[in-house]
Amino acid sequence: MNTRRKILVVEDNIANRLTLCKILSQDYETLEAANGQEALDLLSREDQDVSLIFLDIQMPVMDGYTFLQKLQTDRILSAIPVIVATQSDGEEDEVEALAHGATDFITKPYKPAVILHRAASIISLRETAALMNQMEYDRLTGVYSQAFFYQRVRQALRQNPNTQYDLLCANAENFKFVNEVFGLAVGDQVLRLMAREMQSGLPGGNLCGRLRADIFVCMIERGSFDLAPALARATERIRCESGVSGFSMKWGVYAVNDVRLPVEQMCDRALLACDSIKGQYAQTVAFYNDGLRQDRLREKAMADSMESALNARQFEVYYQPKCNLRNSRICGAEALVRWNHPTMGTISPEKFMPLFERNGFITRLDQYVWEEVAVTIHDWDLRGLPLVPISVNVSRADIYNADLETVLVDIRRRHQIKPSLLHLEITETAYTENHQQLCDVVAKLRRAGFIIEMDDFGSGYSSLNMLNELPIDILKLDLKFLQEGQERNKRRSILSFVVSLARWLDLQVIAEGVETLEQVEKLRSVGCNFGQGYYFSQPLPQREFERFLQDVDDFEEKNELKDDDILEKTRLLEAAAYQDYLTGLLNRRGLNHAMDQIDLDQANATIFIFDMDNLKRCNDSKGHAGGDEMLRQFSCVLRSHTRSGDILSRIGGDEFVAVILQMNVVETALRKGQEICQAFRDTDLSKAGGCAASCSAGLAIMQRGESFENAFARADRALYRAKRNQKGVCFI
């Protein structure tokens, strides 16, 4: 009989995973997972047999922090200790890991003796803790431990059969924020205050227990006090005594009507009610009802069958047309997905998408949809049907997939789809989570030729900064933010402003949720050209959508009409995709496209990279308007000191690239670089009350047979030397 304890190693790097497994295998049985989602799937089968988890943080599909969060939500899995492994030995990483629920923290490279000692020590502590769990009181807060609370409730229900009770569950809203911002000591104080309020702050002598982390539960006599005001006062006392001004709590109530129900299930139901109002600002108390239980059972049924449903092709792609507002003719479509469940019937995305986003399955479903849409477009092409761009959803979880660009490009190439026919929709809420990573990913996808649409603009955390930073092509405007309750002129002004702003940023606008003729006329009047919604068509299955396409084509032939507007808009859109919105120069995507069009061996080109020396200081002192003026001024200098055939680009932030053709003499190139730097210093920015103008430059003369990327890297190294040694000059 095998009595060796099991350790799960969660690491995407194969070499690191094998190394760690080899170290551990002399004393333990090892299990392996390449990311957090694989680990959760494995634990659902192994759970109680796993004694310890070694966890990497940076992983595709599901990273370590997300895995820790999901682990904490499971009563059984949260008891498994986790050692986080990372390349960094910084205190911030350690605190972050511990705040997410990790037990310990080690750094790479692995030291075998340390690894084995840590594993043995923590497993021993865990097994000792399992025995200690039967102790009566929670050490931190003084209330009953989970096991003893269950025991005391069962006892009270037996002894008082004629008394009606409620179970009251409390959960701190965003407790992780308290630990991160105010520190663990304040977090512990908040937990003690929560326990005190539930035990003695509320009327009556209440049985109170700590289930786990920041989740407490108590049993109260039904009707013994006015619940809502008493709970509000308890929350306010915690807020005042802890000093955490933004502290809030959610409360869930389960009425104990069937004493035969296990106490564990009673508490789960109270917690279910509590969870049902998480994130809802105005609601603090929720009562359990069978509808919540049915929702939970339905979610579980969907989660249990999602893998088999994908394999059985139960997910069907629907297409909702996008139309030209001037003539209602189709100019594209959005791919949506429906689930044709064998017992539940057709399930709308509103039912299963939130679940898939939480459990990570959304990435599998998204790739399935991308593949289906590509196959369909290719089929339309072979059959001679009209081809229009189809937009597919890229979920927030997809953004963290390091292979996202590779996957999408591979799908497009295998099915011979032009990039302009497969648009990528990214929701604006993804920007609020990790905006820099999102910007980097979107920039890569645009360089690969994809058209990027910002979905649901206006429904969440829209900001001008987001539009400024995110390299998108099309803005999808959610009409829900123009509610009928607003004053008419104000609605029109907001709509007109957003459309004008998009035009100024060289973005096309598609209005979503168009349902009435009045909305169509309003959108036309402010210059919005495209719309999507039930006014034109509901989402259609593929075959119905094809008939819709054919009907439109027949209508055009009968009337001998040609609508060049869509083609013109497409040309403008493609041109805008290559242009920097602020300076009018090429952007990074345009630079790559331009370099692909020239014969590098015949160009005899020199690559210059220019960097503003004091843009940040200018932004800090004069605001971003002053910084933008500096960037525009430099673009003017660059144009005036180069020829029309040279390639000029702003590649992001304060960096510019000039590829000057037929210049391969070192002295000439250095003079040109110095000339541009001097010309920028001589501008009238300072005289006009602006910022002192200064830039540094690095150059590289392209060698025969050398790639643009290699020459660019040499120029970048030269720029670094210039910035480090003597700003304001040009180095080679």
Side-chain angles (χ1 to χ4, degrees), residues 549-667:
L549 273 178
Q550 193 62 58
D551 288 344
V552 172
D553 192 49
D554 290 344
F555 176 82
E556 289 183 357
E557 289 180 1
K558 288 175 186 177
N559 291 275
E560 297 181 353
L561 294 175
K562 297 296 180 183
D563 185 8
D564 293 329
D565 181 65
I566 296 173
L567 294 175
E568 179 61 22
K569 293 297 181 184
T570 301
R571 285 192 291 270
L572 290 173
L573 183 59
E574 291 176 349
Y578 292 134
Q579 189 178 61
D580 174 56
Y581 71 93
L582 182 64
T583 64
L585 303 179
L586 295 175
N587 56 22
R588 187 183 288 269
R589 184 184 186 187
L591 173 64
N592 291 336
H593 178 74
M595 294 306 297
D596 287 341
Q597 309 308 309
I598 64 174
D599 183 348
L600 295 179
D601 285 339
Q602 301 299 320
N604 295 320
T606 295
I607 300 173
F608 295 84
I609 304 179
F610 297 90
D611 183 89
M612 305 299 100
D613 292 329
N614 56 355
L615 180 64
K616 183 179 184 301
R617 190 183 312 155
C618 184
N619 281 332
D620 291 342
S621 61
K622 301 297 181 181
H624 284 278
D628 288 349
E629 179 57 31
M630 174 181 284
L631 296 173
R632 281 191 288 265
Q633 188 75 12
F634 182 76
S635 70
C636 294
V637 170
L638 207 53
R639 284 190 181 95
S640 65
H641 288 78
T642 53
R643 297 160 298 188
S644 60
D646 296 329
I647 300 171
L648 309 179
S649 171
R650 177 186 173 215
I651 60 173
D654 59 352
E655 280 197 342
F656 292 77
V657 171
V659 181
I660 299 183
L661 307 179
Q662 302 307 319
M663 178 181 286
N664 58 0
V665 178
V666 172
E667 293 78 7

Side-chain angles (χ1 to χ4, degrees), residues 702-730:
M702 291 197 67
Q703 307 299 319
R704 181 169 293 275
E706 184 180 24
S707 68
F708 173 68
E709 290 76 14
N710 188 67
F712 183 93
R714 290 195 293 114
D716 193 48
R717 290 193 293 270
L719 172 62
Y720 175 76
R721 291 194 297 273
K723 297 284 286 186
R724 183 182 58 188
N725 297 324
Q726 188 179 351
K727 288 184 178 180
V729 297
C730 179

Side-chain angles (χ1 to χ4, degrees), residues 510-524:
I510 298 175
E512 294 184 280
V514 180
E515 298 180 351
T516 66
L517 178 60
E518 180 186 4
Q519 289 176 329
V520 171
E521 292 173 344
K522 186 184 301 180
L523 290 164
R524 285 175 185 156

Side-chain angles (χ1 to χ4, degrees), residues 149-297:
F149 174 76
Y150 292 159
Q151 180 179 324
R152 292 292 186 265
V153 170
R154 284 190 290 266
Q155 184 180 10
L157 292 175
R158 284 196 303 268
Q159 294 174 350
N160 304 282
N162 297 321
T163 304
Q164 291 186 315
Y165 291 103
D166 290 333
L167 278 177
L168 180 63
C169 180
N171 186 205
E173 188 88 323
N174 295 321
F175 185 71
K176 177 175 173 285
F177 170 82
V178 176
N179 279 331
E180 289 180 349
V181 175
F182 295 92
L184 297 178
V186 174
D188 287 347
Q189 182 191 9
V190 168
L191 294 175
R192 286 190 287 266
L193 290 171
M194 289 175 65
R196 184 200 70 185
E197 288 300 320
M198 295 193 74
Q199 189 170 38
S200 57
L202 300 176
N206 304 315
L207 283 176
C208 180
R210 184 184 181 190
L211 295 187
R212 59 183 178 273
D214 60 328
I215 300 175
F216 293 83
V217 65
C218 70
M219 188 169 75
I220 60 176
E221 286 191 29
R222 190 175 307 158
S224 58
F225 59 90
D226 195 350
L227 202 60
L231 298 181
R233 288 192 294 270
T235 302
E236 184 59 30
R237 285 192 293 268
I238 296 172
R239 186 182 297 128
C240 291
E241 291 190 42
S242 66
V244 181
S245 58
F247 178 78
S248 63
M249 292 177 66
K250 299 298 184 186
W251 307 82
V253 184
Y254 171 70
V256 181
N257 295 321
D258 183 1
V259 296
R260 295 169 299 178
L261 193 70
V263 177
E264 294 86 346
Q265 289 189 27
M266 297 180 187
C267 292
D268 284 345
R269 293 183 177 187
L271 180 58
L272 182 59
C274 185
D275 288 343
S276 70
I277 55 173
K278 274 191 173 181
Q280 299 181 26
Y281 173 76
Q283 195 169 355
T284 57
V285 185
F287 291 82
Y288 172 83
N289 59 64
D290 282 337
L292 292 175
R293 181 170 175 270
Q294 291 303 318
D295 289 343
R296 178 62 63 88
L297 292 174

